[in-house]
C-alpha cells in the first residue's frame, strides 16, 4: 500500500509540475512582492509597515540557502484558480482558506490561499484601514508556510506539490500553495478505531516531533499545536499548517526566565550559557502531543501486557521527564514487543481445540460484532498468530470459528475474522478457517 502511495504521489507531482510549468524559489518569491508597502514615503500606517518589515525579515531568514532562482513564465495563480473551477471549500481559518481542486491530469489537490475575509485581514483593516497592505501582511504568513514546506521533508508533513505567485493588481492577487489532499482529523472517529491504528497515529507524531527537534533549520516549535492543524492522508497523520511554526528559542538571562506554561501545568527549564531556554521548543511540542493525542489514543483497549509500558510513556511525557529522543525509543520498544509477539503472556495453548482447514472460509449465519473492529459489519481483529486468535475466540462464548486471510495491517500482523455461527464451507485459496471442535460444523467434519 505504501509503494502504491509513493507511485501516486510521484505521478501527481509530475502532473502538477507540467501544469504549473515553472515554480519560483521562495527566496525569489519574497522579492516578487510589490515593494510599495515598504518604500519610504508610503502612505501605509507606520505600525503596518513595521509588521510587514518584520514578516519580510522572517521570511528571508527562513528562505536563506534555499532553492535556485525563479524560472521565467509559469502559470499565474488566477489560472490555477480557474482550473479549479467552482472548487468546494475544505476549510478556512484565521489567515487562510483551503479548497479542493482537480488540476488537469493531476488528480485531486488542496489549494491554500489568503482568506480575504478572514479574521487576520479584518482585524488588520480595523487597526490600520489599509486593505491592500493587510492582504500583503497575510500573504507573508502563507509565503512563510510554503518556505518551510519546501525546506522540510518528512512523511509527517503535508507535501507541497507547487506554488504560484500572482503579481496582478486584482484584490485576490497573492500566493497559492498546491498541497496534497487529506481528510480532517476526527478525534471521535479515531477513538473508535482499533488500538493498533491509534498507536500508529501516535508513533507517527513522535517521529515527526523527532524530525522537528533535529531539523535542517534547527529545533522547530509548532506554536499553534491543535488537532485541527493535522490531516489524515492514506491513514497517516500529517501536519498541514506551518505558518505558526518557529525556529526561534526563547532568550533568557537566568533560569527564572524559562518557565514553560500550560493551562494546567508549568515546567521550569534551564537557561543555557548561550542565553536560550534549553529544549523549550522540543518540550513544548512533546507536552502538546501528550495532552492532545497520547492521553486519548494510547491507553484505551491496548493489549494488557503493553499497558505498563504505555503508562510509563504517559507519565514521562506528561511530566516532561522524557525528551523526544527517549520518547521515540520508548515507542519503538512498544512497537517491537507488539510486532514480535513478545508482549503475549504465557497461557494454555488453545489452538488444539480447533480444526483448521486451509483453502476455505465459512459464511456467517448471524452478525457477530466486537469493538474495536477493523470492520463495522463484523468482528475483524489484528492478531500475532493463529494461537492468539484461538485465545480470543475461546474467551468469547459466542465465537465458534475464525478465519485468517492474507490481509495484513501496517505492522505486518494478519487480520482474523471471528464468527459465531459458521455454516457452509466456501473455497478460498487465500484463507485458513479454524473451527471449534465443539461447534456443529466441526462435528460434521
Amino acid at each position: 500500500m505504501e509503494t502504491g502511495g509513493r507511485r501516486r504521489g510521484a505521478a501527481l507531482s509530475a502532473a502538477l509540475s507540467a501544469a504549473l510549468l515553472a515554480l519560483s524559489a521562495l527566496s525569489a518569491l519574497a522579492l516578487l512582492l510589490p515593494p510599495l508597502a515598504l518604500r519610504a514615503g508610503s502612505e501605509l500606517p507606520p505600525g503596518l509597515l513595521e509588521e510587514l518589515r518584520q514578516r519580510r525579515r522572517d521570511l528571508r531568514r527562513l528562505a536563506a540557502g534555499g532553492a535556485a532562482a525563479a524560472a521565467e513564465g509559469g502559470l499565474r495563480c488566477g489560472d490555477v484558480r480557474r482550473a479549479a473551477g467552482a472548487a468546494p471549500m475544505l476549510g478556512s481559518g484565521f489567515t487562510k482558506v483551503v479548497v479542493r481542486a482537480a488540476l488537469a491530469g493531476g488528480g485531486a489537490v488542496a489549494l491554500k490561499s489568503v482568506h480575504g475575509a478572514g479574521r487576520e485581514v479584518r482585524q488588520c483593516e480595523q487597526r490600520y484601514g489599509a486593505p491592500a497592505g493587510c492582504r500583503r501582511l497575510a500573504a507573508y504568513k502563507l509565503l512563510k508556510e510554503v518556505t518551510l514546506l519546501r525546506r522540510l521533508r518528512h512523511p509527517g508533513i503535508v507535501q507541497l506539490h507547487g506554488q504560484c505567485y500572482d503579481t496582478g493588481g486584482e484584490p485576490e492577487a497573492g500566493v497559492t500553495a498546491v498541497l496534497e489532499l487529506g481528510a480532517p482529523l476526527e478525534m471521535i472517529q479515531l477513538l473508535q478505531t482499533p488500538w493498533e491504528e491509534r498507536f500508529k497515529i501516535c508513533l507517527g507524531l513522535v517521529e515527526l516531533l523527532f524530525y522537528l527537534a533535529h531539523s535542517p533549520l534547527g529545533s522547530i516549535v509548532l506554536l499553534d499545536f491543535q488537532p485541527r492543524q493535522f490531516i489524515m492522508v492514506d491513514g497517516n497523520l500529517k501536519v498541514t499548517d506551518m505558518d505558526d511554526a518557529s525556529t526561534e528559542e526563547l532568550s533568557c538571562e537566568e533560569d527564572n526566565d524559562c518557565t514553560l506554561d500550560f493551562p494546567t501545568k508549568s515546567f521550569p527549564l534551564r537557561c543555557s550559557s548561550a542565553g536560550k531556554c534549553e529544549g523549550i521548543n522540543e518540550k513544548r511540542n512533546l507536552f502538546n502531543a501528550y495532552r492532545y493525542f497520547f492521553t486519548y489514543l494510547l491507553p484505551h483497549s491496548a493489549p494488557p501486557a503493553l499497558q505498563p509500558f504505555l503508562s510509563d510513556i504517559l507519565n514521562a511525557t506528561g511530566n516532561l521527564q522524557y525528551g523526544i529522543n527517549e520518547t521515540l525509543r520508548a515507542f519503538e520498544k512498544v512497537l517491537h514487543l507488539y510486532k514480535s509477539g513478545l508482549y503475549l503472556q504465557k497461557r494454555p495453548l488453545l489452538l488444539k481445540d480447533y480444526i483448521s482447514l486451509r483453502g476455505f472460509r465459512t459464511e456467517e449465519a448471524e452478525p457477530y460484532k466486537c469493538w474495536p473492529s477493523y470492520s463495522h459489519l463484523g468482528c475483524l481483529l489484528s492478531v500475532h498468530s493463529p494461537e492468539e486468535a484461538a485465545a480470543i475466540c475461546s474467551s468469547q462464548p459466542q465465537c465458534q470459528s475464525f478465519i485468517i486471510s492474507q490481509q495484513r495491517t501496517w505492522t505486518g500482523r494478519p487480520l482474523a475474522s471471528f464468527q459465531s455461527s459458521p455454516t457452509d464451507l466456501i473455497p478460498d485459496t487465500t484463507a485458513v478457517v479454524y473451527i471449534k471442535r465443539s461447534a456443529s460444523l466441526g462435528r460434521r467434519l
Side-chain angles (χ1 to χ4, degrees):
M1 292 176 63
E2 292 183 0
T3 301
R6 284 195 294 269
R7 290 198 193 101
R8 289 194 300 272
L12 181 57
S13 294
L16 287 168
S17 296
L20 295 178
L21 300 180
L23 300 175
S24 300
L26 264 296
S27 54
L29 280 175
L31 298 176
L32 281 174
L33 285 172
L36 175 63
L38 302 180
R39 280 205 307 246
S42 169
E43 295 181 359
L44 291 180
L48 179 55
L49 280 173
E50 180 54 37
E51 289 194 50
L52 285 165
R53 291 190 183 99
Q54 177 58 46
R55 291 194 181 179
R56 190 182 184 93
R57 285 194 296 267
D58 191 31
L59 179 60
R60 282 180 161 171
R61 179 178 55 81
L62 290 175
E72 294 296 329
L75 205 64
R76 290 166 59 88
C77 287
D79 298 325
V80 174
R81 294 192 186 97
R82 282 189 290 275
M89 182 183 295
L90 296 175
S92 61
F94 192 76
T95 305
K96 293 160 291 185
V97 62
V98 184
V99 300
R100 179 191 177 102
L103 298 183
V109 295
L111 299 182
K112 183 181 287 190
S113 56
V114 171
H115 190 7
R119 287 175 57 196
E120 176 161 20
V121 174
R122 287 189 284 107
Q123 290 177 2
C124 174
E125 291 178 356
Q126 290 171 3
R127 287 196 308 271
Y128 301 119
C134 289
R135 287 193 296 272
R136 184 72 43 73
L137 189 68
Y140 271 120
K141 291 193 73 173
L142 183 53
L143 280 169
K144 173 187 175 181
E145 183 169 22
V146 174
T147 304
L148 287 170
L149 292 178
R150 284 177 64 92
R151 300 205 62 191
L152 302 175
R153 299 291 182 175
H154 188 269
I157 300 176
V158 69
Q159 184 179 355
L160 175 72
H161 292 307
Q163 78 284 326
C164 57
Y165 188 80
D166 196 333
T167 57
E170 66 271 18
E172 69 273 19
V175 65
T176 296
V178 184
L179 307 170
E180 68 177 323
L181 184 66
L185 182 67
E186 300 289 349
M187 291 297 290
I188 293 179
Q189 291 182 6
L190 281 180
L191 290 171
Q192 300 174 22
T193 60
W195 175 83
E196 185 174 332
E197 297 305 308
R198 287 183 272 119
F199 179 78
K200 177 185 180 182
I201 297 298
C202 294
L203 174 61
L205 179 57
V206 170
E207 291 173 340
L208 168 63
L209 298 189
F210 179 86
Y211 173 79
L212 293 179
H214 306 285
S215 85
L217 300 175
S219 182
I220 296 176
V221 61
L222 303 177
L223 293 174
D224 189 15
F225 195 118
Q226 302 276 347
R228 65 174 178 266
Q229 309 293 352
F230 294 83
I231 59 173
M232 297 295 296
V233 180
D234 294 331
N236 298 302
L237 183 75
K238 298 197 176 195
V239 62
T240 187
D241 209 333
M242 297 286 289
D243 63 339
D244 286 312
S246 174
T247 60
E248 294 296 310
E249 291 198 307
L250 185 64
S251 298
C252 58
E253 295 182 358
E254 56 183 24
D255 291 349
N256 289 337
D257 298 330
C258 293
T259 301
L260 184 55
D261 289 317
F262 294 95
T264 59
K265 281 189 175 183
S266 296
F267 299 96
L269 303 179
R270 294 182 57 186
C271 181
S272 71
S273 57
K276 298 290 183 180
C277 297
E278 287 186 357
I280 191 168
N281 287 352
E282 171 186 330
K283 293 181 182 297
R284 184 185 297 275
N285 284 342
L286 190 54
F287 187 79
N288 279 327
Y290 159 79
R291 67 179 179 137
Y292 287 119
F293 287 89
F294 299 167
T295 54
Y296 300 107
L297 302 181
L298 270 184
H300 307 297
S301 70
L306 293 179
Q307 288 178 0
F309 299 98
L310 300 175
S311 294
D312 289 344
I313 290 175
L314 289 171
N315 290 333
T317 54
N319 295 310
L320 289 184
Q321 296 169 349
Y322 282 176
I324 190 59
N325 295 356
E326 296 84 358
T327 303
L328 180 57
R329 284 197 294 268
F331 269 83
E332 290 174 338
K333 179 179 180 180
V334 172
L335 179 62
H336 171 69
L337 293 173
Y338 187 67
K339 291 177 65 174
S340 65
L342 293 175
Y343 73 96
L344 293 171
Q345 299 172 338
K346 291 184 178 180
R347 62 182 73 185
L349 299 179
L350 300 172
L351 195 59
K352 64 182 185 300
D353 298 330
Y354 293 78
I355 297 172
S356 66
L357 298 170
R358 185 173 299 276
F360 291 93
R361 60 181 173 86
T362 56
E363 283 190 338
E364 177 72 276
E366 299 176 3
Y368 172 31
K369 298 181 180 180
C370 61
W371 184 89
S373 170
Y374 278 86
S375 171
H376 296 299
L377 302 177
C379 186
L380 188 63
L381 303 176
S382 165
V383 296
H384 175 260
S385 63
E387 186 64 55
E388 184 181 11
I392 294 173
C393 189
S394 299
S395 68
Q396 301 177 2
Q398 67 269 45
C399 182
Q400 296 297 307
S401 69
F402 59 90
I403 303 166
I404 295 181
S405 69
Q406 295 179 358
Q407 189 176 3
R408 295 290 188 269
T409 68
W410 66 276
T411 61
R413 289 162 55 100
L415 289 174
S417 176
F418 297 87
Q419 300 181 339
S420 60
S421 302
T423 56
D424 297 332
L425 290 171
I426 300 173
D428 187 341
T429 58
T430 67
V432 182
V433 61
Y434 296 81
I435 305 170
K436 278 185 178 179
R437 294 180 183 276
S438 59
S440 58
L441 182 58
R443 286 196 294 271
R444 291 201 300 271
L445 292 172

